[in-house]
Amino acid sequence: MSIKDRFKMIMDREKLTAGAFAESIGVAQATISHILGPRNKYPSTEVILRLHQRYNDINLEWLLTGEGNMSNGSASIENDGFDYPLFAENAEKQSNGPSETENRKEIVLETVQKAPKEIVKQEIIYKERPPRKITEIRIFFDDNTYETFKPEN
């Protein structure tokens, strides 16, 4: 079983689309698309750690190699209630609460009062130019000659 299949199993278990799964672990949707796509790109260590940090019941050995059970089962009881990933950035400051990258739900915000729009007035000013007069017309020929015409005033 490839890591691509293990990612799909986690998504199926959590009932998430690729986009929602990417958002839940805090990576770009394109990253998950590359992993699940036909080119079968192997995920970076950062993606694996983010997945494990968000879904800390996933057995890291199973995720990396496919060996063992998908879920840790009683790992958090064995570790006195703490389940730290091996390479967590701040393992000491881990909380048991929901992760910040958890699926976000829409929250109704206070209605924004519409500020009155400023009325912008534009004036177009047409300035009259003094009348122009033709003073000279030159016609150039292909034999490098030209003729000049001047109006008679």
Side-chain angles (χ1 to χ4, degrees):
M1 170 187 320
S2 70
I3 195 155
K4 169 183 176 176
D5 297 328
R6 293 190 289 277
F7 267 65
K8 284 182 180 178
M9 286 177 67
I10 296 168
M11 289 169 49
D12 289 343
R13 183 188 85 168
E14 299 296 322
K15 296 179 177 70
L16 295 173
T17 63
F21 180 66
E23 185 177 330
S24 76
I25 63 174
V27 298
Q29 185 173 354
T31 303
I32 300 300
S33 296
H34 285 300
I35 294 167
L36 300 177
R39 292 188 300 188
N40 206 11
K41 181 181 176 198
Y42 195 82
S44 68
T45 306
E46 181 183 351
V47 172
I48 291 171
L49 290 177
R50 283 179 180 229
L51 185 150
H52 188 258
Q53 191 172 18
R54 170 65 179 95
Y55 303 103
N56 57 7
D57 65 314
I58 299 292
N59 181 349
L60 192 56
E61 182 180 357
W62 173 83
L63 183 60
L64 293 171
T65 64
E67 296 176 9
N69 294 327
M70 179 180 186
S71 183
N72 284 328
S74 61
S76 59
I77 297 171
E78 294 172 7
N79 294 327
D80 298 327
F82 296 101
D83 185 21
Y84 298 127
L86 182 60
F87 299 106
E89 291 180 16
N90 290 323
E92 300 87 35
K93 296 182 182 179
Q94 285 268 340
S95 66
N96 290 336
S99 173
E100 291 177 16
T101 57
E102 181 174 291
N103 286 342
R104 296 177 188 105
K105 296 181 180 174
E106 291 185 23
I107 300 172
V108 178
L109 301 175
E110 296 177 19
T111 56
V112 178
Q113 295 178 356
K114 293 184 180 179
K117 293 182 179 179
E118 282 187 38
I119 298 174
V120 178
K121 292 183 180 179
Q122 287 184 337
E123 284 187 37
I124 300 174
I125 300 173
Y126 293 100
K127 292 185 177 180
E128 271 193 50
R129 291 183 177 177
R132 300 186 305 176
K133 296 180 181 175
I134 298 174
T135 59
E136 182 176 285
I137 299 175
R138 290 188 182 179
I139 300 177
F140 293 89
F141 298 100
D142 58 355
D143 62 353
N144 291 330
T145 61
Y146 68 92
E147 289 185 22
T148 304
F149 299 95
K150 293 190 179 187
E152 296 176 6
N153 285 341

